[in-house]
Amino acid sequence: MRLRSVLATLTAGLTAATCLTAAGPAAAGATAAPAAAPRNACSPSVSIDGFSDALDKTTYEGTYVGNFSALAVDRDGRLAALSDRSSLFTLDPKTLQPRSVVALADENSGALDSEGLVVERDGTRLVSSEGEPAVRRYGRDGVILGRLPVPEYLRVAPAGRAAGNQTFEALTFLNDGRTLLAGMEGSLSGDTPGIVRFQTWHRHGSQDFRLAAQYGYRADTGLGVVETTATPDGRLLVLERGFTPGVGNTVRLYAADLRRATDTSGVENLTGQNDVRLIRKTLLADLVNCPTLGATAKQPQPNPLLDNIEAMTVTGHRHGRLKILLASDDNQNAAQITRFYSLHIRL
């Protein structure tokens, strides 16, 4: 399905779902101004169309629906939604309701801490797991088809220099269609806190992924990288998230540009040295500034719309405007919410 069709279908689905407030049209006769923010604006370049709590604390065929860590648009326009509890759901784009679920496992039939998801053109699923970390290829039926190489120093200590639960949280194909990128959530031991590594692979043929360039990215203080997705103009959208007990979540959306960044695969320690150019980033929106749209929260939040957001996918683009869908990971916790968010971005 073309992206325009996917966009229309997903918008219709969110309109039909619960807890939605839609953005209205601009006032008739209004004069366009570069600094004018869109209605329901989170910032001058980002607006929120609505949200849905339709799947919160539900089950499907005996499987808990939630713990969502990644989203992708499948070839037929339906949504693939990855749970970090080893489940991959197919969601109806009109209603967000589950239509199927597949169990995932590692090579020894063990559970995954599955965090990143890419759907290839042939339907193959690429799934990152942050326990090792690893990136595996799966068929639609959940059968493992292969595993990508990972540098030893990116592995969790003591095998490598990564901290547990701080590895491959983000996964996306760049817009060349041949370069896969996985983003580390946290810093390696020996690197300056806040500087994380983005590892890439180049695809040779349909199944052979070989290690390629690596880049450094500086996350905001107290935040980690939880998702990336490529944009049509060659940049990345980067989602940074943090949590402060008693205060709530911080979620910021950035545009990032790799094109002049240094390949750090041969740099042992990233300490902000002058001869290493990190990925440049530009803040698009701090989601605390979005309108609440009548949302409620189950725990303290600086904006009741916020929760543990960590899934993101582009569902359409037209004339420099992107339609994106976000989802929160409720951690199967009564104090958190499985919530979907529909946003527009002007790049």
Side-chain angles (χ1 to χ4, degrees), residues 19-336:
C19 301
L20 179 76
T21 302
T31 302
R39 190 172 178 184
N40 281 357
C42 306
S43 72
S45 57
V46 177
S47 61
I48 183 167
D49 298 327
F51 72 94
S52 172
D53 296 346
L55 298 186
D56 187 44
K57 305 303 182 285
T58 60
T59 60
Y60 174 76
E61 295 186 350
T63 301
Y64 184 83
V65 179
N67 302 300
F68 290 134
S69 57
L71 296 170
V73 178
D74 211 340
R75 292 187 62 193
D76 59 6
R78 293 189 292 179
L79 287 170
L82 181 68
S83 162
D84 62 18
R85 309 290 178 92
S86 304
S87 297
L88 181 57
F89 292 86
T90 296
L91 305 182
D92 188 311
K94 292 183 179 180
T95 64
L96 298 178
Q97 293 301 311
R99 291 293 175 258
S100 66
V101 61
V102 172
L104 302 177
D106 65 16
E107 293 82 356
N108 299 313
S109 300
L112 300 176
D113 185 357
S114 39
E115 297 290 347
L117 173 68
V118 168
V119 177
E120 296 197 77
R121 296 176 198 174
D122 63 358
T124 299
R125 279 80 164 109
L126 290 165
V127 175
S128 66
S129 173
E130 67 174 353
E132 305 97 337
V135 179
R136 296 177 176 88
R137 300 174 61 251
Y138 292 86
R140 288 181 173 272
D141 56 3
V143 173
I144 296 179
L145 303 177
R147 182 167 171 166
L148 278 59
V150 173
E152 289 295 325
Y153 58 87
L154 296 185
R155 299 189 183 279
V156 173
R161 295 166 45 203
N165 202 39
Q166 293 288 303
T167 64
F168 289 164
E169 187 85 13
L171 195 68
T172 190
F173 260 120
L174 302 186
N175 69 343
D176 64 4
R178 300 183 63 83
T179 305
L180 182 71
L181 179 144
M184 301 284 283
E185 182 177 6
S187 304
L188 297 179
S189 172
D191 289 352
T192 295
I195 298 180
V196 301
R197 304 210 185 204
F198 287 2
Q199 178 65 51
T200 68
W201 295 259
H202 284 165
R203 179 168 55 187
H204 298 262
S206 61
Q207 301 180 15
D208 182 18
F209 286 83
R210 302 175 189 174
L211 288 169
Q214 184 189 99
Y215 307 99
Y217 176 94
R218 188 186 297 275
D220 291 354
T221 301
L223 305 186
V225 173
V226 293
E227 189 60 285
T228 62
T229 190
T231 65
D233 64 0
R235 291 184 288 173
L236 288 174
L237 297 178
V238 180
L239 197 63
E240 298 186 22
R241 181 214 59 205
F243 178 74
T244 303
V247 178
N249 289 101
T250 300
V251 184
R252 293 175 185 152
L253 184 62
Y254 283 90
D257 193 340
L258 292 83
R259 285 172 289 191
R260 303 184 70 180
T262 302
D263 181 355
T264 60
S265 56
V267 181
E268 183 175 359
N269 298 117
L270 292 178
T271 58
Q273 51 264 61
N274 292 332
D275 59 343
V276 174
R277 294 187 303 272
L278 301 179
I279 295 170
R280 293 179 298 171
K281 69 177 190 179
T282 303
L283 180 66
L284 296 175
D286 188 328
L287 298 193
V288 73
N289 297 319
C290 294
T292 66
L293 303 183
T296 59
K298 298 180 180 180
Q299 63 180 329
Q301 289 286 359
N303 179 333
L305 188 70
L306 294 176
D307 209 274
N308 184 40
I309 301 171
E310 64 175 70
M312 173 173 62
T313 190
V314 174
T315 59
H317 66 92
R318 185 180 184 186
H319 304 314
R321 286 169 57 87
L322 297 181
K323 183 79 168 180
I324 68 170
L325 190 67
L326 307 178
S328 61
D329 175 0
D330 74 333
N331 290 307
Q332 216 158 329
N333 185 333
Q336 295 177 286

Side-chain angles (χ1 to χ4, degrees), residues 10-35:
L10 284 167
T11 302
L14 281 170
T15 302
T18 59
C19 301
L20 179 76
T21 302
T31 302

